[in-house]
Amino acid sequence: YHEFHNFIKQASASVSSHYGKGLLVDVHGHTHAEGLLEFGYNLGSGSLSKTNEWLDDLPNWVQDRFSMKNLIESKEGETWKFSQILRGPKSMGGLMSTSAFGEYPSIPAPHRPDPQGDPYFSGGYDIETHGS
């Protein structure tokens, strides 16, 4: 446990010093019958079930809990809406669902923006502690 978290801290510091910021993705298997790639961004199914407008209007302090918050502003200075990064065509789920990435059914993604009552892994300690 401690060795893993110390490694993540060291890797994060190295990425920050070399690149300014980075992305930590928590990928692991699960036993959910749906067989979806579940991207847990520290947002529960209740938040994912809301409209894009609702998500985009969340106060900054709420969006700051989102594990990919540093991607909201790209290096070109273009601002992306919270909902676009979360479940738009260029989101992790959106990209993984395309033929270029193997057409893996994913959530959240444009075709499946929320769990629709199915089990969903929303993220955990690793992302909350070490995420962007």
Side-chain angles (χ1 to χ4, degrees), residues 15 24 38 42 83 93 100 116:
V15 168
L24 172 67
E38 299 177 12
N42 282 340
S83 62
Q116 303 166 352

Side-chain angles (χ1 to χ4, degrees), residues 23-46:
L23 174 65
L24 172 67
V25 179
D26 185 4
V27 179
H28 52 85
H30 60 76
T31 59
H32 297 160
E34 301 79 22
L36 301 170
L37 288 178
E38 299 177 12
F39 293 97
Y41 301 124
N42 282 340
L43 293 172
S45 57

Side-chain angles (χ1 to χ4, degrees), residues 88-114:
K90 293 184 179 180
S91 67
M92 293 288 286
L95 292 172
M96 294 305 292
S97 299
T98 66
S99 60
F101 290 93
E103 296 181 344
Y104 292 102
S106 304
I107 184 171
H111 69 283
R112 183 86 188 260
D114 67 82

Side-chain angles (χ1 to χ4, degrees), residues 50-63 72 80-84 87:
K50 304 293 186 185
T51 66
N52 287 346
E53 292 77 20
W54 186 90
L55 290 165
D56 293 337
D57 287 339
L58 286 171
N60 288 341
W61 68 268
V62 175
Q63 291 186 19
I72 291 175
W80 291 43
K81 292 190 180 242
F82 187 59
S83 62
Q84 291 173 321
R87 58 187 179 200

Side-chain angles (χ1 to χ4, degrees), residues 62-76:
V62 175
Q63 291 186 19
D64 284 347
R65 291 194 62 238
F66 176 57
S67 65
M68 294 176 67
K69 67 184 176 204
N70 285 333
L71 298 180
I72 291 175
E73 185 173 322
S74 71
K75 66 181 180 180
E76 294 85 27

